């Protein structure tokens, strides 16, 4: 029999992985309304080129077409749960269109979800390009 804490961690892990799936789907379909629901108002998004966006600047770039995500292939996802926070790490190949040009990024990333007002909210992204 597994300890209660482990069962709760498994439940949270499953919930976070489902939220990540929804986030990636919303990104690749351009569904900024869904992203707005998932993102914390205090979110920071650090791109692999070290540019940092807030929730509003990031969603604005998606809304006005400055950036669009075409496809994402995620691997090595791991979720670590810490009380009211969950950290997701993994690798991703991200195909996007930015500034009028196609961009493919191979990256390692960390994504952080935190409990806010009784729900999980996406609060932070940080990615580092992988050498090719």
């Amino acid at each position: 029999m597994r300890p209660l804490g482990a069962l709760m961690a498994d439940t949270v892990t499953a919930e976070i992985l489902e939220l990540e799936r929804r986030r990636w789907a919303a990104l690749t379909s351009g569904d900024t309304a869904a992203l707005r629901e998932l993102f914390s108002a205090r979110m920071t998004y650090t791109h692999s080129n070290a540019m940092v966006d807030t929730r509003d600047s990031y969603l604005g770039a998606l809304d006005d077409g400055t950036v669009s995500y075409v496809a994402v292939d995620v691997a090595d996802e791991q979720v670590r749960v810490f009380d009211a926070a969950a950290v997701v790490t993994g690798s991703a190949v991200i195909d996007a269109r930015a500034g009028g040009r196609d961009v493919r990024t191979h990256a390692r990333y960390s994504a952080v979800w935190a409990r806010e007002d009784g729900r999980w909210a996406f609060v932070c992204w940080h990615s580092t390009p992988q050498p090719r």
Side-chain angles (χ1 to χ4, degrees):
M1 183 172 190
R2 299 187 68 198
L4 182 58
L7 292 175
M8 287 187 68
D10 288 349
T11 300
V12 171
T13 296
E15 186 177 359
I16 295 299
L17 288 172
E18 173 59 19
L19 289 167
E20 279 286 281
R21 186 200 63 72
R22 287 178 43 207
R23 182 177 68 83
W24 288 119
L27 276 173
T28 56
S29 68
D31 187 350
T32 55
L35 292 171
R36 188 169 299 281
E37 289 291 318
L38 295 170
F39 291 172
S40 167
R42 299 180 295 165
M43 182 199 83
T44 61
Y45 195 102
T46 304
H47 299 268
S48 59
N49 65 1
M51 187 181 98
V52 179
D53 272 309
T54 64
R55 178 183 76 168
D56 291 340
S57 65
Y58 185 67
L59 292 174
L62 293 170
D63 279 334
D64 71 15
T66 301
V67 176
S68 62
Y69 290 83
V70 177
V72 177
D73 184 21
V74 176
D76 301 326
E77 274 185 312
Q78 294 185 21
V79 179
R80 291 168 184 83
V81 179
F82 305 92
D83 296 325
V87 178
V88 182
T89 57
S91 64
V93 177
I94 302 169
D95 291 312
R97 187 141 182 86
R101 62 186 181 88
D102 293 332
V103 178
R104 172 169 270 190
T105 303
H106 296 259
R108 296 289 308 167
Y109 69 87
S110 297
V112 181
W113 293 81
R115 296 289 295 175
E116 286 186 344
D117 301 322
R119 68 176 188 86
W120 289 103
F122 184 78
V123 296
C124 184
W125 168 270
H126 188 276
S127 62
T128 301
Q130 291 181 302
R132 290 271 131 304

